[in-house]
Coordinates of all heavy atoms in Angstrom, one line a residue:
Chain B
K2 N 15.3 -19.7 -34.9 CA 15.8 -18.8 -36.1 C 17.0 -17.9 -35.6 O 16.6 -17.2 -34.7 CB 14.6 -17.9 -36.6 CG 13.7 -18.7 -37.5 CD 12.7 -17.6 -38.0 CE 11.2 -18.0 -37.7 NZ 10.3 -16.9 -37.8
A32 N 14.4 -23.5 -24.0 CA 13.7 -24.0 -22.9 C 12.4 -23.3 -22.8 O 11.4 -24.0 -22.3 CB 14.6 -23.7 -21.6
R101 N 35.0 -5.6 -5.9 CA 35.5 -6.4 -7.0 C 34.4 -6.6 -8.1 O 34.5 -6.5 -9.3 CB 36.2 -7.7 -6.6 CG 37.7 -7.4 -6.2 CD 38.2 -8.8 -5.8 NE 38.5 -9.6 -6.9 CZ 38.8 -10.8 -6.8 NH1 38.9 -11.4 -5.6 NH2 39.2 -11.6 -8.0
I164 N 25.0 -8.1 -23.0 CA 26.2 -8.3 -23.8 C 25.9 -8.6 -25.3 O 26.5 -8.4 -26.2 CB 27.1 -9.4 -23.1 CG1 27.8 -8.7 -22.0 CG2 28.1 -10.0 -24.2 CD1 28.6 -9.7 -21.1
R167 N 20.4 -9.4 -27.3 CA 19.3 -10.4 -27.7 C 18.6 -11.1 -26.6 O 19.3 -11.4 -25.6 CB 20.0 -11.4 -28.6 CG 20.8 -10.8 -29.7 CD 19.9 -10.3 -30.9 NE 19.6 -11.4 -31.8 CZ 18.6 -11.3 -32.7 NH1 17.9 -10.2 -32.9 NH2 18.3 -12.4 -33.6
A181 N -4.8 -8.4 -20.2 CA -5.2 -8.5 -18.8 C -5.9 -9.8 -18.7 O -6.8 -10.2 -19.4 CB -6.2 -7.4 -18.3
G215 N -0.6 -13.6 -12.8 CA -1.5 -13.3 -14.0 C -1.3 -11.8 -14.3 O -0.3 -11.3 -13.7
I245 N 3.8 -10.6 -10.0 CA 3.2 -9.7 -10.9 C 4.4 -8.9 -11.7 O 5.1 -8.2 -11.2 CB 2.4 -8.6 -10.3 CG1 1.3 -9.2 -9.4 CG2 1.7 -7.6 -11.3 CD1 0.3 -10.1 -10.2
A258 N -6.7 2.3 -21.4 CA -7.6 3.3 -21.7 C -9.0 3.0 -21.1 O -9.6 3.7 -20.5 CB -7.7 3.8 -23.1
D282 N -7.5 -5.4 5.7 CA -6.9 -6.6 6.4 C -5.4 -6.8 5.6 O -4.6 -7.2 6.3 CB -7.8 -7.9 5.9 CG -8.9 -8.1 6.8 OD1 -9.0 -7.3 7.8 OD2 -9.8 -8.9 6.5
A312 N 11.7 14.8 0.0 CA 10.9 16.2 0.3 C 9.8 15.9 1.4 O 9.6 16.5 2.4 CB 10.3 16.9 -0.8
L343 N 20.7 15.2 -5.9 CA 19.7 16.2 -6.2 C 19.0 16.5 -4.8 O 18.8 17.8 -4.6 CB 18.5 15.5 -6.9 CG 18.8 15.1 -8.4 CD1 17.6 14.4 -9.0 CD2 19.1 16.5 -9.1
G347 N 19.0 20.4 -3.4 CA 17.7 20.9 -3.0 C 17.6 21.3 -1.6 O 16.5 21.8 -1.1
R355 N 20.9 15.8 10.1 CA 21.1 16.5 11.3 C 20.0 15.9 12.3 O 20.2 15.7 13.5 CB 20.8 18.0 11.2 CG 22.1 18.7 10.8 CD 22.0 20.2 11.0 NE 21.0 20.8 10.3 CZ 21.1 21.3 9.0 NH1 22.2 21.1 8.4 NH2 20.0 21.9 8.4

Side-chain angles (χ1 to χ4, degrees):
Chain B
K2 280 188 245 167
R101 279 180 71 190
I164 284 176
R167 304 282 278 163
I245 305 300
D282 288 348
L343 289 174
R355 279 196 297 280

